[in-house]
Amino acid sequence: MIDDMRTILITGATAGFGLATAKLLANDNKLILLARRQERLDELQKSLGDNVYVAAVDVTNPQQVKDFYNSLPADFKNIDVLVNNAGFALGMEPAQEANFDNWQQMVDTNISGLLRMTRLVVGDMVSRGSGQIINIGSVAGHVPYKGGNVYGATKAFVWQFSRGLRTDLFGTGVKVTNIEPGAAETEFASVRFKDEQKGKDFYAGWKPLKPEDIANTVKWVIDQPPHVNIDNIEIMALAQASAGMVIDKG
Ligand code: NDP
Ligand code: 8X3
Protein backbone atom coordinates (compact mmCIF):
# COMPACT_ATOMS: atom_id res chain seq x y z
CA MET A 1 0.00 0.00 0.00
CA ILE A 2 1.41 3.39 -0.96
CA ASP A 3 0.63 5.89 1.82
CA ASP A 4 0.55 9.03 -0.28
CA MET A 5 -2.17 7.68 -2.58
CA ARG A 6 -5.49 9.53 -2.54
CA THR A 7 -8.43 7.65 -1.02
CA ILE A 8 -11.49 7.87 -3.24
CA LEU A 9 -14.94 6.64 -2.20
CA ILE A 10 -17.29 5.82 -5.09
CA THR A 11 -20.95 4.97 -4.48
CA GLY A 12 -22.68 2.83 -7.09
CA ALA A 13 -19.46 1.14 -8.20
CA THR A 14 -20.87 -2.12 -9.56
CA ALA A 15 -22.13 -0.79 -12.91
CA GLY A 16 -22.10 2.11 -15.34
CA PHE A 17 -20.25 5.32 -14.43
CA GLY A 18 -19.16 4.10 -10.98
CA LEU A 19 -17.63 0.90 -12.36
CA ALA A 20 -15.84 2.68 -15.22
CA THR A 21 -14.51 5.28 -12.77
CA ALA A 22 -13.28 2.59 -10.38
CA LYS A 23 -11.44 0.80 -13.21
CA LEU A 24 -9.86 4.03 -14.43
CA LEU A 25 -8.69 5.18 -11.00
CA ALA A 26 -7.68 1.83 -9.50
CA ASN A 27 -3.98 1.88 -10.36
CA ASP A 28 -3.05 5.18 -8.80
CA ASN A 29 -5.47 5.52 -5.88
CA LYS A 30 -6.90 3.72 -2.89
CA LEU A 31 -10.56 3.05 -3.65
CA ILE A 32 -13.55 2.44 -1.42
CA LEU A 33 -16.29 0.94 -3.56
CA LEU A 34 -19.90 0.77 -2.39
CA ALA A 35 -23.04 -0.72 -3.92
CA ARG A 36 -25.68 -3.26 -2.95
CA ARG A 37 -24.67 -6.29 -5.08
CA GLN A 38 -22.13 -8.27 -3.06
CA GLU A 39 -21.13 -10.68 -5.87
CA ARG A 40 -20.10 -7.85 -8.14
CA LEU A 41 -18.20 -6.19 -5.34
CA ASP A 42 -16.34 -9.43 -4.66
CA GLU A 43 -15.35 -9.61 -8.34
CA LEU A 44 -14.11 -6.03 -8.20
CA GLN A 45 -12.08 -6.76 -5.08
CA LYS A 46 -10.43 -9.62 -6.96
CA SER A 47 -9.83 -7.84 -10.23
CA LEU A 48 -8.76 -4.42 -8.94
CA GLY A 49 -6.33 -5.57 -6.26
CA ASP A 50 -5.02 -4.62 -2.82
CA ASN A 51 -5.70 -0.90 -2.89
CA VAL A 52 -9.44 -1.52 -3.03
CA TYR A 53 -11.88 -1.85 -0.13
CA VAL A 54 -15.39 -2.94 -1.03
CA ALA A 55 -18.53 -2.89 1.10
CA ALA A 56 -22.13 -3.85 0.36
CA VAL A 57 -23.89 -0.68 1.42
CA ASP A 58 -27.28 0.64 0.43
CA VAL A 59 -26.98 4.43 0.65
CA THR A 60 -30.64 4.64 1.68
CA ASN A 61 -29.95 2.58 4.82
CA PRO A 62 -28.63 4.78 7.67
CA GLN A 63 -27.45 1.84 9.80
CA GLN A 64 -25.53 0.18 6.94
CA VAL A 65 -23.83 3.48 6.13
CA LYS A 66 -22.89 4.09 9.76
CA ASP A 67 -21.58 0.53 10.29
CA PHE A 68 -19.54 0.68 7.10
CA TYR A 69 -17.94 3.98 8.11
CA ASN A 70 -17.13 2.82 11.63
CA SER A 71 -15.47 -0.34 10.39
CA LEU A 72 -13.26 1.22 7.71
CA PRO A 73 -9.68 -0.09 7.96
CA ALA A 74 -7.21 2.55 9.21
CA ASP A 75 -5.59 2.76 5.74
CA PHE A 76 -8.87 3.89 4.20
CA LYS A 77 -10.20 6.21 6.92
CA ASN A 78 -9.07 9.52 5.47
CA ILE A 79 -11.35 9.97 2.49
CA ASP A 80 -9.96 12.54 0.06
CA VAL A 81 -12.64 12.32 -2.62
CA LEU A 82 -16.29 11.29 -2.46
CA VAL A 83 -17.95 10.48 -5.78
CA ASN A 84 -21.70 10.57 -5.07
CA ASN A 85 -22.76 8.48 -8.04
CA ALA A 86 -25.34 5.90 -6.82
CA GLY A 87 -28.71 6.72 -8.26
CA PHE A 88 -31.36 5.85 -10.80
CA ALA A 89 -34.59 6.72 -12.53
CA LEU A 90 -37.62 4.47 -12.07
CA GLY A 91 -40.48 4.63 -14.55
CA MET A 92 -41.28 7.15 -17.25
CA GLU A 93 -45.00 7.61 -16.80
CA PRO A 94 -46.47 11.10 -16.73
CA ALA A 95 -47.02 12.42 -13.19
CA GLN A 96 -50.73 11.70 -13.24
CA GLU A 97 -50.03 7.98 -13.84
CA ALA A 98 -46.79 7.49 -11.95
CA ASN A 99 -46.18 4.93 -9.24
CA PHE A 100 -45.60 6.79 -5.99
CA ASP A 101 -43.24 4.13 -4.67
CA ASN A 102 -40.96 4.76 -7.66
CA TRP A 103 -40.93 8.46 -6.79
CA GLN A 104 -40.11 7.69 -3.17
CA GLN A 105 -37.22 5.39 -4.11
CA MET A 106 -35.70 8.04 -6.38
CA VAL A 107 -35.96 10.65 -3.63
CA ASP A 108 -34.51 8.25 -1.05
CA THR A 109 -31.53 7.31 -3.23
CA ASN A 110 -30.73 10.30 -5.42
CA ILE A 111 -31.37 12.89 -2.70
CA SER A 112 -31.28 11.34 0.80
CA GLY A 113 -28.55 8.82 -0.05
CA LEU A 114 -26.34 11.53 -1.53
CA LEU A 115 -26.95 13.76 1.50
CA ARG A 116 -26.20 10.93 3.92
CA MET A 117 -22.86 10.12 2.24
CA THR A 118 -21.93 13.80 2.04
CA ARG A 119 -22.68 14.46 5.70
CA LEU A 120 -20.68 11.36 6.62
CA VAL A 121 -17.41 12.57 5.11
CA VAL A 122 -17.58 16.36 4.89
CA GLY A 123 -16.77 17.11 8.54
CA ASP A 124 -13.46 15.25 8.40
CA MET A 125 -12.58 16.89 5.10
CA VAL A 126 -13.12 20.32 6.65
CA SER A 127 -11.05 19.35 9.71
CA ARG A 128 -8.19 18.30 7.42
CA GLY A 129 -8.58 21.44 5.30
CA SER A 130 -8.83 19.47 2.04
CA GLY A 131 -11.10 17.11 0.17
CA GLN A 132 -13.39 16.91 -2.81
CA ILE A 133 -17.03 16.04 -3.30
CA ILE A 134 -18.09 15.14 -6.82
CA ASN A 135 -21.82 14.75 -7.34
CA ILE A 136 -23.30 13.06 -10.39
CA GLY A 137 -26.28 15.15 -11.38
CA SER A 138 -27.88 15.09 -14.81
CA VAL A 139 -28.95 17.37 -17.63
CA ALA A 140 -32.40 16.11 -16.63
CA GLY A 141 -32.04 18.48 -13.66
CA HIS A 142 -32.44 21.38 -16.10
CA VAL A 143 -34.24 20.05 -19.15
CA PRO A 144 -37.72 18.61 -18.62
CA TYR A 145 -38.93 15.72 -20.75
CA LYS A 146 -42.13 13.72 -20.58
CA GLY A 147 -41.95 11.22 -17.75
CA GLY A 148 -38.80 12.76 -16.31
CA ASN A 149 -40.77 14.51 -13.56
CA VAL A 150 -39.34 13.32 -10.22
CA TYR A 151 -36.07 11.98 -11.63
CA GLY A 152 -35.32 15.42 -13.10
CA ALA A 153 -36.36 17.07 -9.85
CA THR A 154 -33.93 14.92 -7.82
CA LYS A 155 -31.13 16.02 -10.14
CA ALA A 156 -32.21 19.67 -9.87
CA PHE A 157 -31.79 19.12 -6.13
CA VAL A 158 -28.27 17.80 -6.73
CA TRP A 159 -27.44 20.90 -8.78
CA GLN A 160 -28.66 23.33 -6.13
CA PHE A 161 -27.25 21.33 -3.22
CA SER A 162 -23.84 21.29 -4.94
CA ARG A 163 -23.97 25.09 -5.15
CA GLY A 164 -25.05 25.37 -1.53
CA LEU A 165 -22.29 23.02 -0.46
CA ARG A 166 -19.71 24.99 -2.42
CA THR A 167 -20.94 28.11 -0.63
CA ASP A 168 -20.79 26.55 2.84
CA LEU A 169 -17.36 25.05 2.16
CA PHE A 170 -15.90 28.26 0.76
CA GLY A 171 -12.61 28.93 2.50
CA THR A 172 -12.28 25.41 3.95
CA GLY A 173 -10.12 23.94 1.19
CA VAL A 174 -12.81 21.41 0.23
CA LYS A 175 -13.81 21.30 -3.44
CA VAL A 176 -17.30 20.63 -4.85
CA THR A 177 -18.24 19.65 -8.40
CA ASN A 178 -21.51 18.70 -10.04
CA ILE A 179 -21.14 16.62 -13.23
CA GLU A 180 -24.28 16.57 -15.37
CA PRO A 181 -24.29 13.92 -18.11
CA GLY A 182 -26.86 13.44 -20.80
CA ALA A 183 -28.00 9.94 -21.73
CA ALA A 184 -25.25 7.32 -21.42
CA GLU A 185 -25.36 3.61 -22.18
CA THR A 186 -25.27 1.87 -18.79
CA GLU A 187 -27.77 -0.20 -16.80
CA PHE A 188 -29.69 3.06 -16.30
CA ALA A 189 -32.38 2.41 -18.92
CA SER A 190 -32.99 -1.24 -18.01
CA VAL A 191 -33.29 -0.22 -14.35
CA ARG A 192 -35.66 2.58 -15.31
CA PHE A 193 -37.95 0.35 -17.38
CA LYS A 194 -37.37 -2.75 -15.22
CA ASP A 195 -36.85 -4.53 -18.55
CA GLU A 196 -33.47 -5.43 -20.06
CA GLN A 197 -34.68 -5.48 -23.66
CA LYS A 198 -36.40 -2.11 -23.37
CA GLY A 199 -33.19 -0.80 -21.85
CA LYS A 200 -31.17 -2.06 -24.84
CA ASP A 201 -33.71 -0.62 -27.28
CA PHE A 202 -33.35 2.83 -25.72
CA TYR A 203 -29.68 2.94 -26.73
CA ALA A 204 -30.09 1.27 -30.14
CA GLY A 205 -29.62 3.22 -33.39
CA TRP A 206 -27.70 6.22 -32.02
CA LYS A 207 -24.47 6.94 -30.17
CA PRO A 208 -25.10 7.78 -26.51
CA LEU A 209 -22.34 8.67 -24.07
CA LYS A 210 -20.27 5.75 -22.74
CA PRO A 211 -19.51 5.15 -19.04
CA GLU A 212 -15.83 5.80 -19.84
CA ASP A 213 -16.69 9.35 -20.97
CA ILE A 214 -17.92 10.13 -17.49
CA ALA A 215 -15.05 8.27 -15.81
CA ASN A 216 -12.61 10.41 -17.82
CA THR A 217 -14.47 13.52 -16.71
CA VAL A 218 -14.33 12.50 -13.04
CA LYS A 219 -10.59 11.85 -13.37
CA TRP A 220 -10.04 15.21 -15.06
CA VAL A 221 -11.91 16.97 -12.25
CA ILE A 222 -9.80 15.18 -9.63
CA ASP A 223 -6.57 15.92 -11.50
CA GLN A 224 -7.00 19.69 -11.44
CA PRO A 225 -4.36 21.60 -9.45
CA PRO A 226 -5.17 22.60 -5.84
CA HIS A 227 -6.26 26.15 -6.71
CA VAL A 228 -8.85 25.03 -9.31
CA ASN A 229 -12.44 24.02 -8.51
CA ILE A 230 -14.59 22.80 -11.38
CA ASP A 231 -18.05 23.92 -10.26
CA ASN A 232 -20.29 22.37 -12.89
CA ILE A 233 -19.97 20.35 -16.09
CA GLU A 234 -22.67 19.42 -18.60
CA ILE A 235 -21.64 16.63 -20.96
CA MET A 236 -23.86 15.36 -23.75
CA ALA A 237 -23.62 12.89 -26.60
CA LEU A 238 -23.38 14.78 -29.87
CA ALA A 239 -26.54 12.91 -30.86
CA GLN A 240 -28.66 14.29 -27.99
CA ALA A 241 -29.85 17.85 -27.48
CA SER A 242 -32.74 19.67 -25.92
CA ALA A 243 -35.56 20.28 -28.45
CA GLY A 244 -36.12 23.91 -27.43
CA MET A 245 -39.50 25.68 -27.21
CA VAL A 246 -42.45 23.83 -28.78
CA ILE A 247 -46.08 24.85 -29.48
CA ASP A 248 -49.11 22.56 -29.47
CA LYS A 249 -51.50 23.82 -32.18
CA GLY A 250 -53.66 20.79 -31.94
P1 NDP B 1 -26.24 2.14 -13.50
O1 NDP B 1 -27.61 1.62 -13.24
O2 NDP B 1 -25.44 1.55 -14.58
O3 NDP B 1 -25.41 2.08 -12.14
C1 NDP B 1 -25.96 2.54 -10.94
C2 NDP B 1 -25.09 2.11 -9.78
O4 NDP B 1 -25.67 2.57 -8.56
C3 NDP B 1 -24.97 0.60 -9.66
O5 NDP B 1 -23.65 0.29 -9.28
C4 NDP B 1 -25.92 0.25 -8.52
O6 NDP B 1 -25.40 -0.91 -7.90
C5 NDP B 1 -25.75 1.49 -7.63
N1 NDP B 1 -26.86 1.76 -6.73
C6 NDP B 1 -28.16 1.96 -7.03
N2 NDP B 1 -28.88 2.18 -5.93
C7 NDP B 1 -28.01 2.13 -4.89
C8 NDP B 1 -28.14 2.27 -3.49
N3 NDP B 1 -29.34 2.50 -2.92
N4 NDP B 1 -27.06 2.16 -2.71
C9 NDP B 1 -25.85 1.91 -3.26
N5 NDP B 1 -25.65 1.77 -4.59
C10 NDP B 1 -26.73 1.87 -5.38
O7 NDP B 1 -26.44 3.72 -13.71
P2 NDP B 1 -25.45 4.87 -14.23
O8 NDP B 1 -24.05 4.50 -14.09
O9 NDP B 1 -25.95 5.30 -15.54
O10 NDP B 1 -25.86 6.00 -13.19
C11 NDP B 1 -24.97 6.52 -12.23
C12 NDP B 1 -25.45 7.90 -11.85
O11 NDP B 1 -25.45 8.72 -12.99
C13 NDP B 1 -26.87 7.96 -11.31
O12 NDP B 1 -26.93 8.90 -10.27
C14 NDP B 1 -27.68 8.44 -12.50
O13 NDP B 1 -28.84 9.12 -12.13
C15 NDP B 1 -26.68 9.37 -13.15
N6 NDP B 1 -26.87 9.65 -14.57
C16 NDP B 1 -27.00 8.64 -15.47
C17 NDP B 1 -27.16 8.94 -16.81
C18 NDP B 1 -27.34 7.89 -17.84
O14 NDP B 1 -27.91 8.23 -18.90
N7 NDP B 1 -26.85 6.69 -17.66
C19 NDP B 1 -27.12 10.33 -17.27
C20 NDP B 1 -27.00 11.30 -16.23
C21 NDP B 1 -26.85 10.96 -14.94
P3 NDP B 1 -26.20 -1.98 -7.04
O15 NDP B 1 -27.44 -2.32 -7.81
O16 NDP B 1 -25.21 -3.10 -6.92
O17 NDP B 1 -26.47 -1.30 -5.74
C1 8X3 C 1 -30.13 10.52 -17.38
C2 8X3 C 1 -30.11 11.36 -18.59
O1 8X3 C 1 -31.49 12.17 -20.54
O2 8X3 C 1 -31.78 9.85 -19.86
O3 8X3 C 1 -29.85 11.32 -16.28
O4 8X3 C 1 -32.64 11.62 -18.46
S1 8X3 C 1 -31.58 11.24 -19.39
Side-chain angles (χ1 to χ4, degrees):
M1 183 83 61
I2 300 167
D3 278 341
D4 61 3
M5 277 183 168
R6 259 184 305 233
T7 301
I8 302 177
L9 191 169
I10 304 171
T11 67
T14 51
F17 300 162
L19 177 60
T21 305
K23 286 181 177 167
L24 184 65
L25 299 178
N27 279 341
D28 307 323
N29 301 279
K30 289 190 273 184
L31 298 184
I32 302 169
L33 305 180
L34 306 187
R36 296 163 302 177
R37 284 172 284 184
Q38 182 74 59
E39 261 175 35
R40 289 198 183 193
L41 289 168
D42 292 343
E43 280 166 25
L44 280 173
Q45 178 78 78
K46 263 190 233 151
S47 62
L48 297 183
D50 289 345
N51 294 328
V52 174
Y53 178 82
V54 301
V57 174
D58 181 335
V59 297
T60 68
N61 185 318
Q63 194 59 48
Q64 280 183 20
V65 170
K66 209 183 283 174
D67 290 347
F68 142 75
Y69 195 62
N70 290 336
S71 59
L72 269 175
D75 274 349
F76 288 86
K77 274 203 190 301
N78 286 344
I79 296 165
D80 298 298
V81 183
L82 166 65
V83 183
N84 265 323
N85 166 74
F88 48 68
L90 287 180
M92 214 165 166
E93 296 78 20
Q96 63 275 23
E97 290 163 22
N99 173 320
F100 189 83
D101 188 51
N102 284 346
W103 282 5
Q104 188 66 59
Q105 286 185 56
M106 288 188 276
V107 169
D108 288 348
T109 309
N110 303 359
I111 296 180
S112 302
L114 177 142
L115 292 178
R116 182 169 294 112
M117 295 307 300
T118 302
R119 189 65 190 85
L120 191 72
V121 303
V122 72
D124 283 349
M125 287 180 175
V126 170
S127 301
R128 290 199 306 270
S130 71
Q132 187 164 25
I133 296 174
I134 300 175
N135 294 327
I136 306 298
S138 170
V139 293
H142 305 285
V143 184
Y145 57 86
K146 282 186 182 291
N149 42 59
V150 169
Y151 176 68
T154 65
K155 294 303 186 178
F157 177 95
V158 174
W159 182 79
Q160 184 62 14
F161 179 64
S162 301
R163 294 169 72 86
L165 201 54
R166 173 97 166 92
T167 307
D168 286 355
L169 296 176
F170 183 75
T172 65
V174 181
K175 298 181 176 190
V176 181
T177 300
N178 184 31
I179 298 177
E180 304 189 293
E185 185 165 4
T186 64
E187 293 181 4
F188 181 86
S190 52
V191 169
R192 172 171 233 167
F193 300 122
K194 296 181 181 161
D195 181 326
E196 218 164 295
Q197 190 54 51
K198 261 191 167 178
K200 279 190 185 141
D201 293 347
F202 178 77
Y203 301 117
W206 65 293
K207 282 199 177 138
L209 293 171
K210 298 185 171 85
E212 292 74 22
D213 300 321
I214 305 310
N216 288 334
T217 307
V218 172
K219 183 175 184 317
W220 179 78
V221 167
I222 293 173
D223 285 346
Q224 292 306 304
H227 69 287
V228 175
N229 187 84
I230 305 298
D231 286 40
N232 203 78
I233 298 179
E234 277 188 39
I235 170 169
M236 304 281 291
L238 185 60
Q240 186 188 29
S242 145
M245 199 75 85
V246 287
I247 292 176
D248 176 8
K249 290 189 174 180

